[in-house]
Structures are given as structure tokens and as C-alpha cells.
């Protein structure tokens, strides 16, 4: 409320300037203070006194001018001029109460459906075939999925695009190696260690000339649509994606098999694409390769940067695929917006691919192409997150460790959760903690992965929010009254109510900026205000009047529902007891 009065006063100062009452150059510091004595209203400002000199008028006169202009604000019950020219504000508690009562009865908790629903493609997760999901894929997966949920919640049509790396010359080698393993009757388990599979295939390729020759032969056959090679390739994709699907399941990620739109999908489009770019005069032959020169990207000497779209040997590149993919998504889905959640190191690559797609006229003017860039995940030592021996950390193992740590945490707390709920509590805390650690940081910066900071019930963590939720559930288990009409009677209730009313604004900001940490910060502040409220405002005590009880229970209910909805939009589950 303080902030909105401040804002209102700033508007009035601008009005004074526009009406010629105040010089445009004048800068005033607008201060709104809480009054010490409520008999003088809720807030007070000395603005009229500050303006007396520059406006060459008496403070009382200016105070009257301000009050005249404030009259439209129906959140303010009354104003008065006090002493040498202070303005005191009496806030309409019933207005706040009316709004918060509405929120309580609204299944959408005050979050309106967008008036302008869009078709939005979210390109995220995007792991590579025959490789373990690496750390940057976790970030993309977790952040992308939260944004998908939020955009859908607002009423947009969202297309999940899992742009998996399922095409390229490495598949000759991988097919040859899969064939070798099959001939040796390898079981599914042996094939499931993708890191080892890839490494061993590479060793064979480098050391066995006969194997290498076969691998090269298989690339050509695969490219020309040979049935055997295609079926082997499909097997590799399936082995990888079955494993990734299990990770999605554990992490509560909404991606399914149907969302796979890998690089291979665009392969048949690449040749005609380069032909079209050539016909349009965009791609030119340079030393045998086809290159697009971009004036908007210059090298260190100020010359246009060249982007290779087809190599001398006829092969296409990662960028060529991204151009085709952008074109396809515009044509096929009629998208209005696309957000690609990829590592910040891919920034230039994406911008150049999109610039080419725009120059070629594949992207309608008003389509927004955005890179949801994110920083690296670092270990406690500030270096890229790796295993002790320097290898990539397997996501599966990371999740197992999170569960082991969550189990320990729960045991230390001696909680009295019934045995049949325990496993669910452990995994819900563990997966929430891992996801939230990632989501709560501004995605554009690198962040330090630290078990101790994420698996704790203190601070801006998922366990803290889950705990706040379960605490409210406990209040309801004890309550002997139903939630009822909210009446705001003190500061703690007021602050909590004000915060709850900000949910809509926060959700919209997250959708616009594709920044889930804003929602995390909001939920954390909400939970903190709730704890403060709960300390100051007893509920389940015999001396509390039943109407007060009912009012406070409604505030509990609204907080609980916003926490649950907010966490669910982040893909995190809540617990009734923990
Ligand atoms: N597969 C890529 C990687 O592992 C990420 C793909 C991002 N999306 C895109 N359209 N290029 O880094």
C-alpha cells in the first residue's frame, strides 16, 4: 500500500509538472512513512512541504492540490492535513479485505487468463542421443518446464519441443558399435551406460581401421535412408530416450515421447533450404562451402561475419538445422513466440541462425524469437560441475544422492511421518530441492551447486516452502471452525494480504521474462510473511473469537493455495505432513 501511495504521489508530481505548476527540472524525493499513532492515519508524507519552495505556494495549499488529485483512489478512505503541511492517509481496510476475499474464492487465485493467447514453442531439455544428459541439460529441462507450465496456466497454447541431438556423422560409428555389441549378445544393462558406450565406440573407431570403414559406410547408408541403418539408429534413440524419460518422471517434468522433435526431423529440409538461401542471394559459395554473410554481426576487423550453412564436403551444420527448424516452426505451428532454453554459450549461434531465417523471410515480423540463456552450474570450488575424477556427473546419480541426503535429513528431524508416507516424502523433498536450487537463481548467471544450501529448511529453499505448506495443513487439521470472511485487523494480516494479491503480477512477469526465479523469490517472501503472521495472530486458541478465527483461517487457506499453485507451476509437489 505504501508503495502504491508513493507511486500515486509520483504521478501527481508529474501532473504538476505537466500543468506548469512545477518546473520540469525539479527532483523531489517522495517519502511515505508509517504513522506511529494510528489516530493520525496509516501513512503520512511531507511532500507538500518539500514542494512549497519550488512551487512558490504555502504547504497547506499544495496539500489541498494533492488531496484533490488523490480523490479518485478508492483504496484511500480519508486524508487530512496536519501540522505545518503533512498529509495523513487513512487506508480503506475494507477495500483490501474485499480484494483478498475475492482472491480466496477464486480458483485461479487472482491470476487472470491472458486476453491475448499465443502459440508459443518452448525448445528445452534437448539432450543428445547415446550420451548421458549433462548438467546444462538439467538446467534447460527444469527451467523450460516451469515456463511451459506458467504459459499454459495463463491460457497460451504451448508446444514443447525437445530438440534432441539425434543426427550427425557420429551415428555411423554408433550403429557399427551397437551391431558389434549385439553380435556379442550384450544385455540391456550393458547398453544403458551411455557414457561408456560412446567412449568405447570412439576407441574402436580410432583404433580399428576396419571398424572405422564400416562406420563411414553406415553414415552414408543412414543418410540415404537404408532400412537396416535406420532401424539401428532408432534403437539408439530409444535406449537413450527411455532413460531420459525415467529422469523426466523422477523430476516431474511434463515432457513425453510425443514432444521429441529432434534434429533428424529437419534433415530432409536442409538441402532445399540451402538452395533457397542461394536463390535468394543470401548464401554464396566461398572456398567450396556455402556461406551467409551477416552485416549485423561483424568480426574484430569490422567485416561481416560468415556463417557456414553447408560444408565443402556437402555436410550440413548445427546452424543449418536451427534455421530449418525455425522456418518449420513458423510454418507448421504458426507460432507467435519461441523461447529456446540453451546454454549461454549458444547465444551467438542462435542469434545468427535466427537472423538468417529472418533475412530469408521465414519468420513473420511480429514473431518473437528469444534465447532463454542460462549460466553454468559450478561446483563448490567455482569450477564447472564435474565428478571428482573430472567426468560428467550423471543426472541419475545426482538424483540418487539427493534422495539419500533427503532421507538423512528426515531421520535427523525425527519426524513422525507414518512409514507408508515416508518414501514419498523423501523423494518429494529431494526432487523439489534439486529443481528449486536451479529455479531460484537468476538463470543468466552461473550458479554454485551446493547440497548444504538446497537441502535445508532455512532460507529460500524448496524444503522451507514445502514445510510452510505442511504447517498450514496442520493448522487445518486442528481447526474447529471453517474459513470465513476476512477482516484485516493488524499489520501482519495486512502485509500477508497485500502479498497474496501480488500473485497475478508475479506470474505475468515470469511469463514475459521467462525468469522463474521471480516466482521463487515471491513464494519465499510469502512464506516468510505467513510465518510472521502466524506468530502474531493466534488461530487455534480457545480465547480467539470465532469470526477472527474464520478470517485468519481464510488467510491461511489463501496462502496455502498460492504456495501449492506456485510450486506446482515450478513442477514441485507439496506434502501434507513432513
Ligand atoms: N542439443 C543441444 C545441446 O546439447 C541443445 C539444443 C538447443 N536447441 C536448439 N534449437 N539448438 O547443447
Amino acid at each position: 500500500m505504501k508503495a502504491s501511495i508513493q507511486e500515486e504521489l509520483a504521478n501527481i508530481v508529474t501532473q504538476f509538472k505537466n500543468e506548469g505548476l512545477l518546473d520540469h527540472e525539479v527532483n523531489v524525493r517522495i517519502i511515505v512513512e508509517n504513522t506511529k499513532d494510528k489516530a493520525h492515519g496509516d501513512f503520512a508524507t511531507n511532500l507538500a512541504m518539500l514542494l512549497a519552495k519550488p512551487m512558490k505556494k504555502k504547504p497547506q495549499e499544495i496539500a489541498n492540490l494533492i488531496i484533490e488529485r488523490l480523490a479518485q483512489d478508492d483504496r484511500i478512505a480519508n486524508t487530512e492535513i496536519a501540522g505545518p503541511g503533512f498529509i495523513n492517509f487513512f487506508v480503506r481496510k475494507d477495500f483490501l479485505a474485499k480484494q483478498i476475499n475475492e482472491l480466496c474464492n477464486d480458483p485461479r487465485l487472482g491470476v487472470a487468463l491472458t486476453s491475448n493467447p499465443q502459440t508459443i514453442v518452448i525448445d528445452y531439455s534437448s539432450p543428445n542421443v547415446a550420451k548421458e544428459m549433462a548438467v546444462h541439460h538439467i538446467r534447460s529441462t527444469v527451467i523450460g518446464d516451469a515456463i511451459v507450465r506458467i504459459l499454459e496456466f495463463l491460457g497460451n497454447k504451448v508446444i514443447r519441443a525437445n530438440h534432441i541431438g539425434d543426427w550427425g556423422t557420429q551415428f555411423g560409428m554408433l550403429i557399427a558399435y551397437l551391431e558389434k555389441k549385439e553380435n556379442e549378445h550384450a544385455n540391456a544393462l550393458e547398453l544403458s551406460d551411455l557414457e561408456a558406450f560412446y567412449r568405447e565406440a570412439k576407441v574402436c573407431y580410432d583404433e580399428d581401421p576396419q571398424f572405422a570403414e564400416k562406420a563411414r559406410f553406415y553414415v552414408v547408408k543412414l543418410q540415404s535412408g537404408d532400412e537396416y541403418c535406420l532401424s539401428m539408429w532408432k534403437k539408439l534413440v530409444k535406449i537413450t530416450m527411455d532413460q531420459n524419460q525415467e529422469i523426466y518422471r523422477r523430476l516431474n517434468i511434463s515432457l513425453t515421447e510425443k514432444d521429441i522433435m529432434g534434429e533428424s526431423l529437419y534433415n530432409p529440409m536442409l538441402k532445399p533450404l540451402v538452395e533457397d538461401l542461394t536463390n535468394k542471394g543470401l548464401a554464396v559459395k566461398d572456398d567450396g562451402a556455402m556461406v551467409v554473410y551477416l552485416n549485423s554481426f561483424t568480426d574484430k576487423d569490422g567485416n561481416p561475419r560468415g556463417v557456414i550453412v553447408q560444408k565443402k564436403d556437402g555436410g550440413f551444420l548445427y546452424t543449418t538445422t536451427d534455421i530449418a527448424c525455425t522456418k518449420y516452426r513458423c510454418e507448421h505451428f504458426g507460432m507467435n513466440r519461441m523461447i529456446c532454453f540453451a546454454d549461454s554459450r549458444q547465444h551467438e549461434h542462435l542469434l545468427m541462425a535466427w537472423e538468417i531465417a529472418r533475412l530469408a523471410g521465414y519468420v513473420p515480423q511480429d514473431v518473437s524469437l528469444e534465447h532463454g540463456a542460462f549460466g553454468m552450474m559450478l561446483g563448490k570450488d567455482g569450477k564447472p560441475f564435474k565428478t571428482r575424477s573430472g567426468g560428467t556427473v550423471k543426472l541419475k546419480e545426482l538424483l540418487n544422492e539427493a534422495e539419500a541426503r533427503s532421507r538423512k535429513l528426515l531421520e535427523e528431524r525425527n519426524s513422525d511421518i507414518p512409514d507408508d508416507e515416508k518414501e514419498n516424502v523423501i523423494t518429494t523433498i529431494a526432487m523439489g530441492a534439486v529443481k528449486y536450487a536451479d529455479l531460484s537463481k537468476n538463470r543468466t548467471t552461473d550458479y554454485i551447486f551446493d547440497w548444504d544450501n538446497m537441502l535445508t529448511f532455512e532460507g529460500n529453499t524448496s524444503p522451507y516452502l514445502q514445510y510452510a505448506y505442511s504447517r498450514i495443513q496442520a493448522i487445518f487439521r486442528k481447526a474447529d471452525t471453517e474459513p470465513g470472511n476476512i477482516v484485516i485487523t493488524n499489520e501482519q494480516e495486512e502485509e500477508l494480504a497485500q502479498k497474496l494479491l501480488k500473485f497475478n503480477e508475479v506470474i505475468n512477469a515470469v511469463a514475459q521474462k521467462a525468469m522463474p526465479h521471480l516466482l521463487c523469490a515471491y513464494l519465499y517472501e510469502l512464506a516468510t510473511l505467513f510465518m510472521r503472521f502466524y506468530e502474531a495472530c493466534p488461530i487455534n486458541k480457545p480465547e480467539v473469537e470465532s469470526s477472527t478465527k474464520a478470517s485468519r483461517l481464510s488467510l491461511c487457506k489463501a496462502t496455502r493455495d498460492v504456495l501449492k499453485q506456485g510450486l506446482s507451476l515450478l513442477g514441485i509437489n507439496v506434502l501434507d505432513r513432513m
Side-chain angles (χ1 to χ4, degrees):
M1 191 65 207
K2 198 176 183 170
S4 50
I5 294 180
Q6 212 146 4
E7 219 171 278
E8 189 86 40
L9 292 174
N11 286 338
I12 292 177
V13 169
T14 314
Q15 282 178 34
F16 284 161
K17 289 181 178 175
N18 292 340
E19 291 165 26
L21 293 170
L22 179 65
D23 203 79
H24 274 280
E25 316 294 286
V26 176
N27 262 329
V28 273
R29 215 163 81 90
I30 300 168
I31 300 169
V32 175
E33 282 183 323
N34 294 327
T35 48
K36 288 191 190 73
D37 180 356
K38 290 286 163 204
H40 297 144
D42 303 288
F43 302 103
T45 183
N46 63 348
L47 179 65
M49 285 136 86
L50 293 181
L51 290 175
K53 218 171 163 192
M55 285 175 73
K56 300 190 193 72
K57 283 190 202 317
K58 289 208 185 73
Q60 277 88 351
E61 210 181 311
I62 298 173
N64 271 322
L65 291 175
I66 295 175
I67 288 172
E68 263 168 38
R69 287 163 173 76
L70 273 172
Q72 285 98 356
D73 193 327
D74 47 7
R75 290 168 299 183
I76 297 168
N78 191 21
T79 44
E80 65 177 20
I81 304 173
F86 284 106
I87 303 172
N88 294 337
F89 300 87
F90 294 79
V91 170
R92 268 186 64 176
K93 294 264 188 309
D94 59 339
F95 184 77
L96 179 60
K98 180 173 161 271
Q99 283 183 302
I100 191 71
N101 276 310
E102 271 167 21
L103 180 135
C104 264
N105 295 319
D106 175 6
R108 295 190 53 88
L109 302 163
V111 183
L113 284 167
T114 171
S115 53
N116 171 30
Q118 294 187 312
T119 298
I120 307 174
V121 173
I122 305 293
D123 179 316
Y124 73 113
S125 190
S126 312
N128 298 318
V129 168
K131 285 202 179 147
E132 286 286 337
M133 242 201 238
V135 210
H136 69 275
H137 298 118
I138 313 175
R139 298 213 69 190
S140 173
T141 305
V142 168
I143 300 171
D145 206 53
I147 297 302
V148 163
R149 289 168 192 259
I150 288 167
L151 291 169
E152 277 184 345
F153 183 60
L154 288 173
N156 296 289
K157 179 175 174 203
V158 177
I159 290 139
R160 296 161 173 77
N162 195 351
H163 191 83
I164 64 170
D166 61 354
W167 204 250
T169 46
Q170 73 275 27
F171 280 93
M173 163 187 107
L174 294 168
I175 290 170
Y177 192 66
L178 178 61
E179 182 184 84
K180 182 168 173 324
K181 290 302 262 185
E182 282 187 345
N183 290 340
E184 291 163 4
H185 305 289
N187 56 33
L189 197 69
E190 273 179 73
L191 298 177
S192 72
D193 185 346
L194 297 170
E195 219 51 32
F197 183 91
Y198 202 99
R199 199 172 45 236
E200 287 156 20
K202 185 86 176 51
V203 171
C204 287
Y205 186 82
D206 290 338
E207 290 174 4
D208 177 350
Q210 244 175 322
F211 180 93
E213 195 178 321
K214 189 189 251 170
R216 280 190 290 270
F217 177 62
Y218 280 166
V219 181
V220 179
K221 291 200 72 154
L222 180 68
Q223 302 268 11
S224 62
D226 172 77
E227 233 167 84
Y228 168 74
C229 282
L230 273 176
S231 77
M232 292 296 268
W233 166 78
K234 276 193 190 133
K235 268 190 214 169
L236 288 164
V237 176
K238 186 165 173 2
I239 294 169
T240 312
M241 290 317 287
D242 281 352
Q243 283 192 32
N244 291 335
Q245 202 55 50
E246 171 60 10
I247 292 202
Y248 296 154
R249 187 195 61 76
R250 288 179 76 180
L251 277 172
N252 187 24
I253 298 297
S254 65
L255 283 166
T256 70
E257 232 173 279
K258 290 196 292 291
D259 304 314
I260 296 176
M261 280 175 239
E263 293 176 19
S264 63
L265 172 68
Y266 309 104
N267 183 55
M269 307 171 197
L270 302 181
K271 199 166 163 271
L273 177 90
V274 173
E275 277 163 15
D276 190 49
L277 293 175
T278 311
N279 291 339
K280 288 182 168 144
L282 286 164
V284 292
K285 205 170 216 127
D286 188 342
D287 195 19
M290 294 310 292
V291 183
V292 179
Y293 285 94
L294 292 174
N295 291 321
S296 43
F297 292 81
T298 47
D299 63 16
K300 57 181 189 322
D301 301 320
N303 300 317
R305 286 265 302 269
V307 181
I308 304 178
V309 289
Q310 186 167 21
K311 290 188 287 188
K312 210 173 176 170
D313 66 8
F316 301 102
L317 296 104
Y318 186 50
T319 310
T320 327
T321 304
D322 264 310
I323 303 168
C325 144
T326 308
K327 178 174 186 275
Y328 173 83
R329 289 172 183 173
C330 286
E331 286 168 358
H332 193 78
F333 300 116
M335 66 177 179
N336 306 104
R337 182 182 182 193
M338 163 166 98
I339 315 175
C340 187
F341 286 98
D343 199 306
S344 50
R345 287 169 296 187
Q346 302 198 23
H347 191 59
E348 200 161 61
H349 149 76
L350 289 170
L351 291 193
M352 295 200 289
W354 295 342
E355 174 70 3
I356 295 173
R358 284 202 190 270
L359 288 173
Y362 303 149
V363 185
Q365 200 104 59
D366 53 357
V367 171
S368 162
L369 305 175
E370 299 160 38
H371 179 198
F374 50 80
M376 275 192 288
M377 196 172 183
L378 306 174
K380 254 182 160 172
D381 55 2
K383 297 201 183 108
F385 195 64
K386 291 264 159 74
T387 59
R388 221 163 283 167
S389 57
T392 31
V393 179
K394 287 185 186 148
L395 193 42
K396 197 170 31 195
E397 282 159 17
L398 189 99
L399 300 186
N400 292 346
E401 181 163 357
E403 283 177 2
R405 285 176 183 259
S406 162
R407 187 180 301 278
K408 208 166 137 246
L409 189 72
L410 214 63
E411 276 160 12
E412 279 164 7
R413 290 185 100 220
N414 278 327
S415 82
D416 48 5
I417 300 163
D419 276 347
D420 59 335
E421 282 181 35
K422 218 167 224 158
E423 287 311 308
N424 180 42
V425 172
I426 289 167
T427 50
T428 305
I429 293 179
M431 296 307 124
V434 171
K435 292 179 81 169
Y436 193 87
D438 206 315
L439 293 166
S440 58
K441 315 289 185 313
N442 182 330
R443 64 169 162 75
T444 57
T445 46
D446 294 347
Y447 91 93
I448 293 181
F449 187 91
D450 181 357
W451 288 115
D452 300 327
N453 288 341
M454 64 174 94
L455 268 161
T456 159
F457 290 95
E458 276 139 51
N460 187 10
T461 65
S462 156
Y464 174 74
L465 297 179
Q466 289 168 326
Y467 172 68
Y469 177 89
S470 69
R471 191 148 171 201
I472 302 177
Q473 289 296 64
I475 297 172
F476 279 104
R477 281 195 292 273
K478 268 197 229 129
D480 55 8
T481 313
E482 287 296 309
N485 186 46
I486 299 178
V487 183
I488 303 288
T489 61
N490 62 31
E491 201 185 312
Q492 287 82 9
E493 291 172 338
E494 185 184 331
E495 281 187 61
L496 181 60
Q498 298 282 15
K499 195 57 154 190
L500 287 164
L501 291 166
K502 287 261 156 66
F503 191 43
N504 175 43
E505 192 183 310
V506 172
I507 294 297
N508 279 286
V510 176
Q512 197 220 330
K513 299 182 186 151
M515 294 272 197
H517 77 280
L518 299 172
L519 176 56
C520 297
Y522 168 82
L523 294 174
Y524 175 54
E525 285 159 22
L526 178 68
T528 308
L529 287 177
F530 175 79
M531 298 294 188
R532 222 176 279 162
F533 152 82
Y534 189 51
E535 238 162 66
C537 310
I539 300 171
N540 288 325
K541 298 249 170 74
E543 67 272 20
V544 183
E545 237 181 90
S546 75
S547 64
T548 308
K549 226 181 248 187
S551 162
R552 291 181 178 165
L553 280 171
S554 277
L555 282 170
C556 288
K557 177 176 168 291
T559 308
R560 178 196 67 188
D561 294 349
V562 169
L563 280 175
K564 183 176 183 177
Q565 181 66 66
L567 284 170
S568 137
L569 290 173
L570 297 171
I572 295 174
N573 291 330
V574 288
L575 294 159
D576 287 335
R577 57 185 112 224
M578 62 193 280

